[in-house]
Amino acid sequence: MEKPIKHVLFSGYAKLPTGITASEMYKVIGLILVIDIDNGEIIEADCTLATHVARRHVSEMLVGQSLKNGPDQALRLIDQVYQGSAKKAIITALRIIYDKYRSFKEGTAPSILD
């Protein structure tokens, strides 16, 4: 008997602006979210920002947010409480994740097994 899928990991990547520490280290930001598929709630969040404080802040603001009704609430929150240079990249990565989440929910997400 297959175990029902409850939590799914999604990733989104976006180019970082030049001249900030994270771009010197990574060139792109990776945003990783574990989402409860039943209610769209973000269960875990991590990203590849350069400092622990920035990574923790992004994680804490995203955990508990829901993507079930779209990304707008989470995007507004990032816009308000993250005033670092990587803001646009984080927002882009979150939009990419939302598109992947929506495709997964609709059953149209690509599979490498097909």
mmCIF file with all atom_site columns, all heavy atoms in Angstrom, residues 1-25:
data_model
loop_
_atom_site.group_PDB
_atom_site.id
_atom_site.type_symbol
_atom_site.label_atom_id
_atom_site.label_alt_id
_atom_site.label_comp_id
_atom_site.label_asym_id
_atom_site.label_entity_id
_atom_site.label_seq_id
_atom_site.pdbx_PDB_ins_code
_atom_site.Cartn_x
_atom_site.Cartn_y
_atom_site.Cartn_z
_atom_site.occupancy
_atom_site.B_iso_or_equiv
_atom_site.pdbx_formal_charge
_atom_site.auth_seq_id
_atom_site.auth_comp_id
_atom_site.auth_asym_id
_atom_site.auth_atom_id
_atom_site.pdbx_PDB_model_num
ATOM 1   N N   . MET A 1 1  ? 0.840  -1.183 0.000   1.00 0.00 ? 1  MET A N   1
ATOM 2   C CA  . MET A 1 1  ? 0.000  0.000  0.000   1.00 0.00 ? 1  MET A CA  1
ATOM 3   C C   . MET A 1 1  ? 0.885  1.246  0.000   1.00 0.00 ? 1  MET A C   1
ATOM 4   O O   . MET A 1 1  ? 1.779  1.390  0.819   1.00 0.00 ? 1  MET A O   1
ATOM 5   C CB  . MET A 1 1  ? -0.893 -0.023 1.236   1.00 0.00 ? 1  MET A CB  1
ATOM 6   C CG  . MET A 1 1  ? -1.845 1.107  1.333   1.00 0.00 ? 1  MET A CG  1
ATOM 7   S SD  . MET A 1 1  ? -2.953 0.782  2.726   1.00 0.00 ? 1  MET A SD  1
ATOM 8   C CE  . MET A 1 1  ? -4.072 2.088  2.500   1.00 0.00 ? 1  MET A CE  1
ATOM 9   N N   . GLU A 1 2  ? 0.627  2.161  -0.955  1.00 0.00 ? 2  GLU A N   1
ATOM 10  C CA  . GLU A 1 2  ? 1.417  3.379  -1.056  1.00 0.00 ? 2  GLU A CA  1
ATOM 11  C C   . GLU A 1 2  ? 1.036  4.369  0.030   1.00 0.00 ? 2  GLU A C   1
ATOM 12  O O   . GLU A 1 2  ? -0.129 4.538  0.356   1.00 0.00 ? 2  GLU A O   1
ATOM 13  C CB  . GLU A 1 2  ? 1.192  4.049  -2.419  1.00 0.00 ? 2  GLU A CB  1
ATOM 14  C CG  . GLU A 1 2  ? 2.107  3.538  -3.485  1.00 0.00 ? 2  GLU A CG  1
ATOM 15  C CD  . GLU A 1 2  ? 2.001  4.364  -4.747  1.00 0.00 ? 2  GLU A CD  1
ATOM 16  O OE1 . GLU A 1 2  ? 1.984  5.608  -4.657  1.00 0.00 ? 2  GLU A OE1 1
ATOM 17  O OE2 . GLU A 1 2  ? 1.927  3.754  -5.808  1.00 0.00 ? 2  GLU A OE2 1
ATOM 18  N N   . LYS A 1 3  ? 2.059  5.011  0.566   1.00 0.00 ? 3  LYS A N   1
ATOM 19  C CA  . LYS A 1 3  ? 1.846  6.047  1.559   1.00 0.00 ? 3  LYS A CA  1
ATOM 20  C C   . LYS A 1 3  ? 1.371  7.315  0.836   1.00 0.00 ? 3  LYS A C   1
ATOM 21  O O   . LYS A 1 3  ? 1.967  7.717  -0.164  1.00 0.00 ? 3  LYS A O   1
ATOM 22  C CB  . LYS A 1 3  ? 3.165  6.310  2.294   1.00 0.00 ? 3  LYS A CB  1
ATOM 23  C CG  . LYS A 1 3  ? 3.065  7.303  3.395   1.00 0.00 ? 3  LYS A CG  1
ATOM 24  C CD  . LYS A 1 3  ? 4.413  7.452  4.089   1.00 0.00 ? 3  LYS A CD  1
ATOM 25  C CE  . LYS A 1 3  ? 4.317  8.494  5.182   1.00 0.00 ? 3  LYS A CE  1
ATOM 26  N NZ  . LYS A 1 3  ? 5.609  8.682  5.842   1.00 0.00 ? 3  LYS A NZ  1
ATOM 27  N N   . PRO A 1 4  ? 0.290  7.948  1.296   1.00 0.00 ? 4  PRO A N   1
ATOM 28  C CA  . PRO A 1 4  ? -0.186 9.163  0.624   1.00 0.00 ? 4  PRO A CA  1
ATOM 29  C C   . PRO A 1 4  ? 0.839  10.296 0.729   1.00 0.00 ? 4  PRO A C   1
ATOM 30  O O   . PRO A 1 4  ? 1.517  10.435 1.745   1.00 0.00 ? 4  PRO A O   1
ATOM 31  C CB  . PRO A 1 4  ? -1.475 9.514  1.364   1.00 0.00 ? 4  PRO A CB  1
ATOM 32  C CG  . PRO A 1 4  ? -1.447 8.753  2.633   1.00 0.00 ? 4  PRO A CG  1
ATOM 33  C CD  . PRO A 1 4  ? -0.515 7.593  2.447   1.00 0.00 ? 4  PRO A CD  1
ATOM 34  N N   . ILE A 1 5  ? 0.939  11.075 -0.321  1.00 0.00 ? 5  ILE A N   1
ATOM 35  C CA  . ILE A 1 5  ? 1.879  12.200 -0.345  1.00 0.00 ? 5  ILE A CA  1
ATOM 36  C C   . ILE A 1 5  ? 1.275  13.352 0.446   1.00 0.00 ? 5  ILE A C   1
ATOM 37  O O   . ILE A 1 5  ? 0.166  13.791 0.172   1.00 0.00 ? 5  ILE A O   1
ATOM 38  C CB  . ILE A 1 5  ? 2.167  12.637 -1.789  1.00 0.00 ? 5  ILE A CB  1
ATOM 39  C CG1 . ILE A 1 5  ? 2.868  11.523 -2.552  1.00 0.00 ? 5  ILE A CG1 1
ATOM 40  C CG2 . ILE A 1 5  ? 2.997  13.911 -1.808  1.00 0.00 ? 5  ILE A CG2 1
ATOM 41  C CD1 . ILE A 1 5  ? 3.014  11.785 -4.034  1.00 0.00 ? 5  ILE A CD1 1
ATOM 42  N N   . LYS A 1 6  ? 1.999  13.824 1.437   1.00 0.00 ? 6  LYS A N   1
ATOM 43  C CA  . LYS A 1 6  ? 1.526  14.932 2.272   1.00 0.00 ? 6  LYS A CA  1
ATOM 44  C C   . LYS A 1 6  ? 2.407  16.166 2.101   1.00 0.00 ? 6  LYS A C   1
ATOM 45  O O   . LYS A 1 6  ? 1.906  17.265 1.954   1.00 0.00 ? 6  LYS A O   1
ATOM 46  C CB  . LYS A 1 6  ? 1.496  14.505 3.731   1.00 0.00 ? 6  LYS A CB  1
ATOM 47  C CG  . LYS A 1 6  ? 1.093  15.610 4.672   1.00 0.00 ? 6  LYS A CG  1
ATOM 48  C CD  . LYS A 1 6  ? 0.122  15.147 5.708   1.00 0.00 ? 6  LYS A CD  1
ATOM 49  C CE  . LYS A 1 6  ? -0.201 16.221 6.705   1.00 0.00 ? 6  LYS A CE  1
ATOM 50  N NZ  . LYS A 1 6  ? -1.299 17.066 6.309   1.00 0.00 ? 6  LYS A NZ  1
ATOM 51  N N   . HIS A 1 7  ? 3.721  15.971 2.146   1.00 0.00 ? 7  HIS A N   1
ATOM 52  C CA  . HIS A 1 7  ? 4.657  17.089 2.039   1.00 0.00 ? 7  HIS A CA  1
ATOM 53  C C   . HIS A 1 7  ? 5.525  16.907 0.798   1.00 0.00 ? 7  HIS A C   1
ATOM 54  O O   . HIS A 1 7  ? 6.071  15.834 0.571   1.00 0.00 ? 7  HIS A O   1
ATOM 55  C CB  . HIS A 1 7  ? 5.553  17.173 3.271   1.00 0.00 ? 7  HIS A CB  1
ATOM 56  C CG  . HIS A 1 7  ? 4.797  17.441 4.525   1.00 0.00 ? 7  HIS A CG  1
ATOM 57  N ND1 . HIS A 1 7  ? 5.254  17.051 5.761   1.00 0.00 ? 7  HIS A ND1 1
ATOM 58  C CD2 . HIS A 1 7  ? 3.618  18.062 4.753   1.00 0.00 ? 7  HIS A CD2 1
ATOM 59  C CE1 . HIS A 1 7  ? 4.388  17.426 6.689   1.00 0.00 ? 7  HIS A CE1 1
ATOM 60  N NE2 . HIS A 1 7  ? 3.384  18.024 6.093   1.00 0.00 ? 7  HIS A NE2 1
ATOM 61  N N   . VAL A 1 8  ? 5.661  17.989 0.029   1.00 0.00 ? 8  VAL A N   1
ATOM 62  C CA  . VAL A 1 8  ? 6.454  17.951 -1.200  1.00 0.00 ? 8  VAL A CA  1
ATOM 63  C C   . VAL A 1 8  ? 7.461  19.095 -1.156  1.00 0.00 ? 8  VAL A C   1
ATOM 64  O O   . VAL A 1 8  ? 7.126  20.217 -0.763  1.00 0.00 ? 8  VAL A O   1
ATOM 65  C CB  . VAL A 1 8  ? 5.557  18.072 -2.451  1.00 0.00 ? 8  VAL A CB  1
ATOM 66  C CG1 . VAL A 1 8  ? 6.390  18.106 -3.719  1.00 0.00 ? 8  VAL A CG1 1
ATOM 67  C CG2 . VAL A 1 8  ? 4.566  16.917 -2.498  1.00 0.00 ? 8  VAL A CG2 1
ATOM 68  N N   . LEU A 1 9  ? 8.696  18.803 -1.558  1.00 0.00 ? 9  LEU A N   1
ATOM 69  C CA  . LEU A 1 9  ? 9.752  19.800 -1.616  1.00 0.00 ? 9  LEU A CA  1
ATOM 70  C C   . LEU A 1 9  ? 9.756  20.445 -2.998  1.00 0.00 ? 9  LEU A C   1
ATOM 71  O O   . LEU A 1 9  ? 9.737  19.752 -4.018  1.00 0.00 ? 9  LEU A O   1
ATOM 72  C CB  . LEU A 1 9  ? 11.105 19.139 -1.350  1.00 0.00 ? 9  LEU A CB  1
ATOM 73  C CG  . LEU A 1 9  ? 12.303 20.074 -1.292  1.00 0.00 ? 9  LEU A CG  1
ATOM 74  C CD1 . LEU A 1 9  ? 13.268 19.618 -0.221  1.00 0.00 ? 9  LEU A CD1 1
ATOM 75  C CD2 . LEU A 1 9  ? 12.998 20.173 -2.630  1.00 0.00 ? 9  LEU A CD2 1
ATOM 76  N N   . PHE A 1 10 ? 9.766  21.772 -3.016  1.00 0.00 ? 10 PHE A N   1
ATOM 77  C CA  . PHE A 1 10 ? 9.837  22.548 -4.252  1.00 0.00 ? 10 PHE A CA  1
ATOM 78  C C   . PHE A 1 10 ? 11.040 23.483 -4.173  1.00 0.00 ? 10 PHE A C   1
ATOM 79  O O   . PHE A 1 10 ? 11.377 23.977 -3.095  1.00 0.00 ? 10 PHE A O   1
ATOM 80  C CB  . PHE A 1 10 ? 8.578  23.398 -4.440  1.00 0.00 ? 10 PHE A CB  1
ATOM 81  C CG  . PHE A 1 10 ? 7.331  22.594 -4.633  1.00 0.00 ? 10 PHE A CG  1
ATOM 82  C CD1 . PHE A 1 10 ? 6.531  22.243 -3.561  1.00 0.00 ? 10 PHE A CD1 1
ATOM 83  C CD2 . PHE A 1 10 ? 6.940  22.194 -5.908  1.00 0.00 ? 10 PHE A CD2 1
ATOM 84  C CE1 . PHE A 1 10 ? 5.371  21.506 -3.736  1.00 0.00 ? 10 PHE A CE1 1
ATOM 85  C CE2 . PHE A 1 10 ? 5.779  21.448 -6.091  1.00 0.00 ? 10 PHE A CE2 1
ATOM 86  C CZ  . PHE A 1 10 ? 5.002  21.104 -5.002  1.00 0.00 ? 10 PHE A CZ  1
ATOM 87  N N   . SER A 1 11 ? 11.666 23.740 -5.311  1.00 0.00 ? 11 SER A N   1
ATOM 88  C CA  . SER A 1 11 ? 12.781 24.683 -5.345  1.00 0.00 ? 11 SER A CA  1
ATOM 89  C C   . SER A 1 11 ? 12.581 25.679 -6.467  1.00 0.00 ? 11 SER A C   1
ATOM 90  O O   . SER A 1 11 ? 11.981 25.381 -7.496  1.00 0.00 ? 11 SER A O   1
ATOM 91  C CB  . SER A 1 11 ? 14.108 23.941 -5.531  1.00 0.00 ? 11 SER A CB  1
ATOM 92  O OG  . SER A 1 11 ? 14.128 23.280 -6.785  1.00 0.00 ? 11 SER A OG  1
ATOM 93  N N   . GLY A 1 12 ? 13.089 26.874 -6.235  1.00 0.00 ? 12 GLY A N   1
ATOM 94  C CA  . GLY A 1 12 ? 13.077 27.921 -7.243  1.00 0.00 ? 12 GLY A CA  1
ATOM 95  C C   . GLY A 1 12 ? 14.407 28.646 -7.198  1.00 0.00 ? 12 GLY A C   1
ATOM 96  O O   . GLY A 1 12 ? 14.988 28.827 -6.123  1.00 0.00 ? 12 GLY A O   1
ATOM 97  N N   . TYR A 1 13 ? 14.887 29.050 -8.346  1.00 0.00 ? 13 TYR A N   1
ATOM 98  C CA  . TYR A 1 13 ? 16.180 29.717 -8.444  1.00 0.00 ? 13 TYR A CA  1
ATOM 99  C C   . TYR A 1 13 ? 16.031 30.999 -9.244  1.00 0.00 ? 13 TYR A C   1
ATOM 100 O O   . TYR A 1 13 ? 15.254 31.056 -10.206 1.00 0.00 ? 13 TYR A O   1
ATOM 101 C CB  . TYR A 1 13 ? 17.203 28.801 -9.117  1.00 0.00 ? 13 TYR A CB  1
ATOM 102 C CG  . TYR A 1 13 ? 17.463 27.559 -8.310  1.00 0.00 ? 13 TYR A CG  1
ATOM 103 C CD1 . TYR A 1 13 ? 16.673 26.429 -8.476  1.00 0.00 ? 13 TYR A CD1 1
ATOM 104 C CD2 . TYR A 1 13 ? 18.449 27.532 -7.339  1.00 0.00 ? 13 TYR A CD2 1
ATOM 105 C CE1 . TYR A 1 13 ? 16.876 25.289 -7.710  1.00 0.00 ? 13 TYR A CE1 1
ATOM 106 C CE2 . TYR A 1 13 ? 18.664 26.399 -6.566  1.00 0.00 ? 13 TYR A CE2 1
ATOM 107 C CZ  . TYR A 1 13 ? 17.878 25.279 -6.759  1.00 0.00 ? 13 TYR A CZ  1
ATOM 108 O OH  . TYR A 1 13 ? 18.067 24.165 -5.994  1.00 0.00 ? 13 TYR A OH  1
ATOM 109 N N   . ALA A 1 14 ? 16.776 32.026 -8.840  1.00 0.00 ? 14 ALA A N   1
ATOM 110 C CA  . ALA A 1 14 ? 16.739 33.304 -9.541  1.00 0.00 ? 14 ALA A CA  1
ATOM 111 C C   . ALA A 1 14 ? 18.104 33.976 -9.421  1.00 0.00 ? 14 ALA A C   1
ATOM 112 O O   . ALA A 1 14 ? 18.819 33.795 -8.424  1.00 0.00 ? 14 ALA A O   1
ATOM 113 C CB  . ALA A 1 14 ? 15.654 34.197 -8.963  1.00 0.00 ? 14 ALA A CB  1
ATOM 114 N N   . LYS A 1 15 ? 18.447 34.747 -10.421 1.00 0.00 ? 15 LYS A N   1
ATOM 115 C CA  . LYS A 1 15 ? 19.744 35.437 -10.464 1.00 0.00 ? 15 LYS A CA  1
ATOM 116 C C   . LYS A 1 15 ? 19.792 36.527 -9.400  1.00 0.00 ? 15 LYS A C   1
ATOM 117 O O   . LYS A 1 15 ? 18.848 37.300 -9.237  1.00 0.00 ? 15 LYS A O   1
ATOM 118 C CB  . LYS A 1 15 ? 19.968 36.045 -11.844 1.00 0.00 ? 15 LYS A CB  1
ATOM 119 C CG  . LYS A 1 15 ? 21.331 36.629 -12.012 1.00 0.00 ? 15 LYS A CG  1
ATOM 120 C CD  . LYS A 1 15 ? 21.575 37.086 -13.422 1.00 0.00 ? 15 LYS A CD  1
ATOM 121 C CE  . LYS A 1 15 ? 23.013 37.545 -13.484 1.00 0.00 ? 15 LYS A CE  1
ATOM 122 N NZ  . LYS A 1 15 ? 23.314 38.435 -14.512 1.00 0.00 ? 15 LYS A NZ  1
ATOM 123 N N   . LEU A 1 16 ? 20.896 36.567 -8.685  1.00 0.00 ? 16 LEU A N   1
ATOM 124 C CA  . LEU A 1 16 ? 21.116 37.592 -7.668  1.00 0.00 ? 16 LEU A CA  1
ATOM 125 C C   . LEU A 1 16 ? 21.725 38.836 -8.305  1.00 0.00 ? 16 LEU A C   1
ATOM 126 O O   . LEU A 1 16 ? 22.441 38.736 -9.309  1.00 0.00 ? 16 LEU A O   1
ATOM 127 C CB  . LEU A 1 16 ? 22.052 37.060 -6.582  1.00 0.00 ? 16 LEU A CB  1
ATOM 128 C CG  . LEU A 1 16 ? 21.458 36.024 -5.646  1.00 0.00 ? 16 LEU A CG  1
ATOM 129 C CD1 . LEU A 1 16 ? 22.545 35.254 -4.923  1.00 0.00 ? 16 LEU A CD1 1
ATOM 130 C CD2 . LEU A 1 16 ? 20.539 36.709 -4.643  1.00 0.00 ? 16 LEU A CD2 1
ATOM 131 N N   . PRO A 1 17 ? 21.501 40.011 -7.714  1.00 0.00 ? 17 PRO A N   1
ATOM 132 C CA  . PRO A 1 17 ? 22.149 41.214 -8.238  1.00 0.00 ? 17 PRO A CA  1
ATOM 133 C C   . PRO A 1 17 ? 23.659 41.150 -7.982  1.00 0.00 ? 17 PRO A C   1
ATOM 134 O O   . PRO A 1 17 ? 24.101 40.569 -6.992  1.00 0.00 ? 17 PRO A O   1
ATOM 135 C CB  . PRO A 1 17 ? 21.501 42.351 -7.442  1.00 0.00 ? 17 PRO A CB  1
ATOM 136 C CG  . PRO A 1 17 ? 20.953 41.718 -6.215  1.00 0.00 ? 17 PRO A CG  1
ATOM 137 C CD  . PRO A 1 17 ? 20.641 40.284 -6.572  1.00 0.00 ? 17 PRO A CD  1
ATOM 138 N N   . THR A 1 18 ? 24.428 41.733 -8.863  1.00 0.00 ? 18 THR A N   1
ATOM 139 C CA  . THR A 1 18 ? 25.883 41.746 -8.674  1.00 0.00 ? 18 THR A CA  1
ATOM 140 C C   . THR A 1 18 ? 26.255 42.689 -7.538  1.00 0.00 ? 18 THR A C   1
ATOM 141 O O   . THR A 1 18 ? 25.519 43.623 -7.222  1.00 0.00 ? 18 THR A O   1
ATOM 142 C CB  . THR A 1 18 ? 26.607 42.171 -9.961  1.00 0.00 ? 18 THR A CB  1
ATOM 143 O OG1 . THR A 1 18 ? 26.120 43.457 -10.348 1.00 0.00 ? 18 THR A OG1 1
ATOM 144 C CG2 . THR A 1 18 ? 26.387 41.173 -11.083 1.00 0.00 ? 18 THR A CG2 1
ATOM 145 N N   . GLY A 1 19 ? 27.378 42.403 -6.926  1.00 0.00 ? 19 GLY A N   1
ATOM 146 C CA  . GLY A 1 19 ? 27.892 43.281 -5.893  1.00 0.00 ? 19 GLY A CA  1
ATOM 147 C C   . GLY A 1 19 ? 27.461 42.953 -4.481  1.00 0.00 ? 19 GLY A C   1
ATOM 148 O O   . GLY A 1 19 ? 27.843 43.645 -3.548  1.00 0.00 ? 19 GLY A O   1
ATOM 149 N N   . ILE A 1 20 ? 26.670 41.907 -4.294  1.00 0.00 ? 20 ILE A N   1
ATOM 150 C CA  . ILE A 1 20 ? 26.315 41.507 -2.931  1.00 0.00 ? 20 ILE A CA  1
ATOM 151 C C   . ILE A 1 20 ? 27.032 40.199 -2.612  1.00 0.00 ? 20 ILE A C   1
ATOM 152 O O   . ILE A 1 20 ? 27.410 39.452 -3.510  1.00 0.00 ? 20 ILE A O   1
ATOM 153 C CB  . ILE A 1 20 ? 24.788 41.384 -2.722  1.00 0.00 ? 20 ILE A CB  1
ATOM 154 C CG1 . ILE A 1 20 ? 24.179 40.250 -3.546  1.00 0.00 ? 20 ILE A CG1 1
ATOM 155 C CG2 . ILE A 1 20 ? 24.094 42.708 -3.017  1.00 0.00 ? 20 ILE A CG2 1
ATOM 156 C CD1 . ILE A 1 20 ? 22.718 39.962 -3.211  1.00 0.00 ? 20 ILE A CD1 1
ATOM 157 N N   . THR A 1 21 ? 27.233 39.944 -1.351  1.00 0.00 ? 21 THR A N   1
ATOM 158 C CA  . THR A 1 21 ? 28.000 38.779 -0.921  1.00 0.00 ? 21 THR A CA  1
ATOM 159 C C   . THR A 1 21 ? 27.457 37.482 -1.495  1.00 0.00 ? 21 THR A C   1
ATOM 160 O O   . THR A 1 21 ? 28.201 36.651 -2.000  1.00 0.00 ? 21 THR A O   1
ATOM 161 C CB  . THR A 1 21 ? 28.037 38.699 0.616   1.00 0.00 ? 21 THR A CB  1
ATOM 162 O OG1 . THR A 1 21 ? 28.564 39.921 1.121   1.00 0.00 ? 21 THR A OG1 1
ATOM 163 C CG2 . THR A 1 21 ? 28.890 37.537 1.085   1.00 0.00 ? 21 THR A CG2 1
ATOM 164 N N   . ALA A 1 22 ? 26.144 37.303 -1.431  1.00 0.00 ? 22 ALA A N   1
ATOM 165 C CA  . ALA A 1 22 ? 25.545 36.053 -1.915  1.00 0.00 ? 22 ALA A CA  1
ATOM 166 C C   . ALA A 1 22 ? 25.838 35.840 -3.394  1.00 0.00 ? 22 ALA A C   1
ATOM 167 O O   . ALA A 1 22 ? 26.074 34.710 -3.826  1.00 0.00 ? 22 ALA A O   1
ATOM 168 C CB  . ALA A 1 22 ? 24.044 36.052 -1.668  1.00 0.00 ? 22 ALA A CB  1
ATOM 169 N N   . SER A 1 23 ? 25.835 36.909 -4.199  1.00 0.00 ? 23 SER A N   1
ATOM 170 C CA  . SER A 1 23 ? 26.095 36.729 -5.636  1.00 0.00 ? 23 SER A CA  1
ATOM 171 C C   . SER A 1 23 ? 27.551 36.380 -5.891  1.00 0.00 ? 23 SER A C   1
ATOM 172 O O   . SER A 1 23 ? 27.863 35.701 -6.869  1.00 0.00 ? 23 SER A O   1
ATOM 173 C CB  . SER A 1 23 ? 25.684 37.968 -6.440  1.00 0.00 ? 23 SER A CB  1
ATOM 174 O OG  . SER A 1 23 ? 26.580 39.043 -6.209  1.00 0.00 ? 23 SER A OG  1
ATOM 175 N N   . GLU A 1 24 ? 28.446 36.834 -5.031  1.00 0.00 ? 24 GLU A N   1
ATOM 176 C CA  . GLU A 1 24 ? 29.855 36.462 -5.174  1.00 0.00 ? 24 GLU A CA  1
ATOM 177 C C   . GLU A 1 24 ? 30.066 34.987 -4.841  1.00 0.00 ? 24 GLU A C   1
ATOM 178 O O   . GLU A 1 24 ? 30.956 34.345 -5.367  1.00 0.00 ? 24 GLU A O   1
ATOM 179 C CB  . GLU A 1 24 ? 30.736 37.336 -4.275  1.00 0.00 ? 24 GLU A CB  1
ATOM 180 C CG  . GLU A 1 24 ? 30.704 38.810 -4.630  1.00 0.00 ? 24 GLU A CG  1
ATOM 181 C CD  . GLU A 1 24 ? 31.089 39.090 -6.075  1.00 0.00 ? 24 GLU A CD  1
ATOM 182 O OE1 . GLU A 1 24 ? 32.084 38.525 -6.549  1.00 0.00 ? 24 GLU A OE1 1
ATOM 183 O OE2 . GLU A 1 24 ? 30.367 39.874 -6.730  1.00 0.00 ? 24 GLU A OE2 1
ATOM 184 N N   . MET A 1 25 ? 29.198 34.452 -3.993  1.00 0.00 ? 25 MET A N   1
ATOM 185 C CA  . MET A 1 25 ? 29.308 33.055 -3.588  1.00 0.00 ? 25 MET A CA  1
ATOM 186 C C   . MET A 1 25 ? 28.539 32.125 -4.529  1.00 0.00 ? 25 MET A C   1
ATOM 187 O O   . MET A 1 25 ? 29.014 31.049 -4.863  1.00 0.00 ? 25 MET A O   1
ATOM 188 C CB  . MET A 1 25 ? 28.771 32.876 -2.162  1.00 0.00 ? 25 MET A CB  1
ATOM 189 C CG  . MET A 1 25 ? 29.579 33.623 -1.119  1.00 0.00 ? 25 MET A CG  1
ATOM 190 S SD  . MET A 1 25 ? 28.789 33.643 0.503   1.00 0.00 ? 25 MET A SD  1
ATOM 191 C CE  . MET A 1 25 ? 28.749 31.911 0.899   1.00 0.00 ? 25 MET A CE  1
#
